[in-house]
Coordinates of all heavy atoms in Angstrom, one line a residue:
Y41 N 104.0 86.5 35.2 CA 103.9 85.8 36.5 C 105.2 85.6 37.2 O 105.3 85.9 38.4 CB 103.2 84.5 36.3 CG 101.7 84.6 36.3 CD1 101.0 84.9 35.1 CD2 100.9 84.5 37.5 CE1 99.6 85.0 35.1 CE2 99.5 84.6 37.5 CZ 98.9 84.9 36.3 OH 97.5 85.0 36.3
D46 N 108.9 87.3 41.7 CA 110.2 87.8 42.1 C 110.2 89.2 42.7 O 110.9 89.5 43.7 CB 111.2 87.7 40.9 CG 111.4 86.3 40.5 OD1 111.2 85.4 41.3 OD2 111.9 86.1 39.3
T58 N 115.1 96.3 56.7 CA 115.0 97.5 57.4 C 114.2 97.3 58.8 O 114.5 98.1 59.7 CB 114.2 98.6 56.6 OG1 113.0 98.0 56.2 CG2 115.0 98.9 55.3
N62 N 109.0 93.0 61.5 CA 107.8 93.3 60.8 C 107.2 91.9 60.4 O 107.7 91.2 59.6 CB 108.0 94.1 59.6 CG 106.7 94.6 59.0 OD1 105.7 94.0 59.0 ND2 106.8 95.8 58.4
L67 N 105.4 87.4 56.4 CA 104.3 86.7 55.8 C 104.3 86.7 54.3 O 104.1 85.7 53.6 CB 103.0 87.3 56.3 CG 101.7 86.8 55.7 CD1 101.5 85.3 56.0 CD2 100.5 87.6 56.2
V92 N 95.7 70.5 34.1 CA 96.0 71.2 35.4 C 94.6 71.2 36.1 O 93.6 71.5 35.5 CB 96.5 72.6 35.1 CG1 96.6 73.4 36.4 CG2 97.8 72.5 34.3
A117 N 104.1 100.5 54.4 CA 104.1 100.1 55.9 C 104.8 101.2 56.6 O 105.7 101.9 56.1 CB 104.9 98.8 56.0
A119 N 107.2 103.4 59.1 CA 108.6 103.2 59.4 C 108.7 102.8 60.9 O 107.9 103.2 61.7 CB 109.4 104.5 59.1
P122 N 112.1 104.9 66.3 CA 113.5 104.9 66.8 C 113.4 104.5 68.3 O 112.5 104.8 69.0 CB 114.0 106.3 66.6 CG 113.1 106.9 65.6 CD 111.8 106.2 65.7
D133 N 110.3 113.6 83.7 CA 109.7 113.1 84.9 C 110.6 113.3 86.1 O 110.1 113.2 87.3 CB 109.4 111.6 84.8 CG 108.3 111.4 83.7 OD1 107.6 112.4 83.3 OD2 108.3 110.3 83.1
T141 N 110.5 116.7 96.5 CA 111.4 116.3 97.6 C 111.9 117.5 98.3 O 112.0 117.5 99.5 CB 112.5 115.4 97.0 OG1 111.9 114.3 96.3 CG2 113.3 114.9 98.2
P166 N 108.1 136.8 138.9 CA 107.5 135.5 138.6 C 106.0 135.5 139.0 O 105.7 136.1 140.0 CB 108.3 134.5 139.5 CG 108.9 135.3 140.6 CD 109.2 136.7 140.0
S205 N 108.4 120.5 125.0 CA 108.5 119.5 123.9 C 109.0 120.1 122.6 O 109.7 119.4 121.9 CB 107.1 118.9 123.7 OG 106.2 119.9 123.4
V209 N 114.1 121.3 126.1 CA 114.9 121.8 127.3 C 114.3 121.2 128.6 O 113.2 120.6 128.6 CB 114.8 123.4 127.3 CG1 115.4 123.9 126.1 CG2 113.3 123.8 127.4
D215 N 109.7 126.3 132.2 CA 108.9 127.1 133.1 C 109.3 128.5 133.2 O 108.5 129.5 133.2 CB 108.8 126.5 134.5 CG 108.2 125.1 134.5 OD1 107.4 124.8 133.6 OD2 108.4 124.3 135.5
L221 N 107.4 134.8 128.9 CA 106.6 135.1 127.8 C 105.2 135.4 128.2 O 104.4 135.9 127.3 CB 106.5 133.8 126.9 CG 107.8 133.4 126.2 CD1 107.6 132.2 125.4 CD2 108.3 134.5 125.3

Side-chain angles (χ1 to χ4, degrees):
Y41 276 86
D46 292 342
T58 57
N62 193 327
L67 174 63
V92 178
D133 297 338
T141 304
S205 61
V209 296
D215 293 339
L221 294 178

